[in-house]
Amino acid sequence: MTVNRRHMLGLGGAAAAGVVLGSASPASAEEEIVATDAASANRKIARVYARETYRAQGTWSSYIGVAGASAPAVEDRADEVVEAYSVNKIAVATAVLDKVDRGLLTLDQRVDVTAGIVIKDTDGIFGLDGAYPSSVTLGHAMAALLTLSDNTAVRLCGLVCPAAELNEILRAKGFVHTQVVPVANPNRFFLGTTTPRETYDLLQKLVGGTLLSPASTEYLLNVLRSLSSFTDGIRLNLSSDERLRVATKAGWFNDGRNEAGIVFDTEGKPMITYSLFASGPFTGDAAANDTNFGATHPALRARQAIGRTLVDSVGRFSAPAALTFKARAYRPSNGG
């Protein structure tokens, strides 16, 4: 079953309404679907997506695909050009790593962190340093970009990969809608747009080994799967080991709440790829929702339920032949 907007407003919406209103409905039976193969995983994911997005309200544009399935589980306004917000930091990192792969940059080269380049927006870590100028490696800046979603790190990436070049690299890889927005300073840009399908395709090319070199692919996936990366959405209701099997990047601004990533099985095979973009108004008070960027936001609650379903659907059936990307084991430390 592929969910699209018409389906959600029909059967999916009716089932979800029964849950919301507390009446008997097929939703209770749908909850019992067990993913024993790609087709049943599709059905389970489609039902949960329809129910949870109906509850959250808002406008959703999404694409979810299961390895081995003949059709996507969710294809909902998948070609809509949407504001990507920080989900496009994956695209920024892709362009920088492409230059690394071509020998034009190295992850251990240093970039200068000056007072003028620091964004004091309370996100990330560079705005907390309190002592400038300093310098960090490009690898450090990229790790901050993808884990803490540091916006100063966007500017640091722009020092080595200006907006025009970044967009050219993405277009050459087939991503004509996944583009940043240049500003007067050629080394700075807004994070721009994408479509759910293009972000899905970018992630698929990444784990398919055709987007970047093996070393850059491993670097990018290790950062996105780390326990320091975003946990308030898809990964919230997961154990530490389960979180390490989900590479994810979220993005938010104004009424937009987005997230995209990949779920791996215990062997490191990429099993489910998701690309979820949503904007308000959502259930509840619109003004309060617009200033709530935490786990209690309706869109994030929807993604939490979807995320639990995605992970529960993995490992119950074999995947087609694929590259494997085993996550690094978590080893906590007590200092020393």
Side-chain angles (χ1 to χ4, degrees), residues 58 86 89 267 335:
S86 288
K89 288 173 182 173
E267 300 303 314

Side-chain angles (χ1 to χ4, degrees), residues 37-58:
D37 54 25
S40 57
N42 262 13
R43 291 193 296 272
K44 176 71 172 179
I45 293 164
R47 299 290 192 184
V48 173
Y49 176 86
R51 183 192 70 212
E52 296 301 327
T53 56
Y54 181 89
R55 285 172 167 170
Q57 298 299 297

Side-chain angles (χ1 to χ4, degrees), residues 199-214:
T199 292
Y200 174 90
D201 288 345
L202 186 151
L203 294 169
Q204 282 283 285
K205 287 184 177 182
L206 177 67
V207 295
T210 62
L211 187 72
L212 297 166
S213 71

